Amino acid sequence: MPIICNIEKNVMFELDLLNDRYLDIKKERTNFENWIPFILKLIFSDKVHNYSEEQGQHLLFLKLKIL
């Protein structure tokens, strides 16, 4: 996914959706029962915060639609 930056270019947000073994989507379930794994990177000036693939972070499909 694209990287989102503020006007000053000192805050960056990157969210990458993954298609791996943690993907849990079934058509017969509602949107709040389906999960999509992701990698998140948040950069504030000189600080970097990561949620990596190994940590197994997930978004509800419902929340992804809102984003």
Side-chain angles (χ1 to χ4, degrees):
M1 294 192 120
I3 297 172
I4 300 171
C5 299
N6 67 339
I7 294 172
E8 292 85 20
K9 305 276 186 206
N10 61 354
V11 177
M12 290 189 277
F13 174 84
E14 182 178 354
L15 179 68
D16 296 319
L17 303 178
L18 303 173
N19 184 6
D20 63 10
R21 64 187 169 112
Y22 297 112
L23 184 67
D24 186 17
I25 295 178
K26 293 184 180 165
K27 290 182 181 181
E28 61 272 4
R29 294 191 302 205
T30 60
N31 288 337
F32 67 87
E33 296 176 303
N34 289 310
W35 298 88
I36 300 174
F38 67 92
I39 297 172
L40 173 73
K41 183 184 283 187
L42 203 50
I43 303 169
F44 298 102
S45 299
D46 58 345
K47 296 180 183 177
V48 178
H49 301 278
N50 284 320
Y51 291 103
S52 67
E53 184 174 357
E54 294 79 30
Q55 292 173 309
Q57 300 297 319
H58 292 80
L59 276 174
L60 281 171
F61 190 73
L62 178 66
K63 298 294 182 181
L64 186 60
K65 286 177 70 174
I66 294 170
L67 278 175

